[in-house]
Amino acid sequence: MVQRMPAQHVEIHQPRDPSTFSNYNAWRTKHITVNLEIDFTKKILWGNVVLKLKRLGGAGTENGKVVLDTR
């Protein structure tokens, strides 16, 4: 069994999902745009995702940092 210790600089806000260190409760997703290209011959998928977020007040939003995940 592998156990990982949380990074010391990560601020966790309650309530939270125990499977992530993201600050998802400090932001709301307003829109997601996914741009993907598929190469079936090479079995490759590549592209990007653009997130439009709204900052919520409260803990974790002071520095404007979005933490998508660190695990």
Side-chain angles (χ1 to χ4, degrees):
M1 178 181 190
V2 176
Q3 291 184 335
R4 295 182 185 168
M5 298 302 295
Q8 297 302 316
H9 67 281
V10 175
E11 190 175 339
I12 299 174
H13 309 285
Q14 299 297 333
R16 70 174 205 84
D17 178 348
S19 65
T20 182
F21 283 133
S22 68
N23 61 348
Y24 64 89
N25 56 351
W27 301 89
R28 284 291 173 259
T29 303
K30 301 303 284 180
H31 189 78
I32 300 173
T33 303
V34 180
N35 302 300
L36 299 175
E37 293 192 33
I38 304 170
D39 186 330
F40 289 102
T41 306
K42 295 180 181 178
K43 298 181 181 179
I44 297 175
L45 174 70
W46 70 92
N48 63 29
V49 177
V50 179
L51 299 173
K52 212 179 249 192
L53 304 173
K54 178 182 179 183
R55 184 188 325 199
L56 303 176
T61 62
E62 298 84 14
N63 62 7
K65 186 176 183 180
V66 176
V67 179
L68 297 177
D69 210 327
T70 56
R71 282 191 179 185

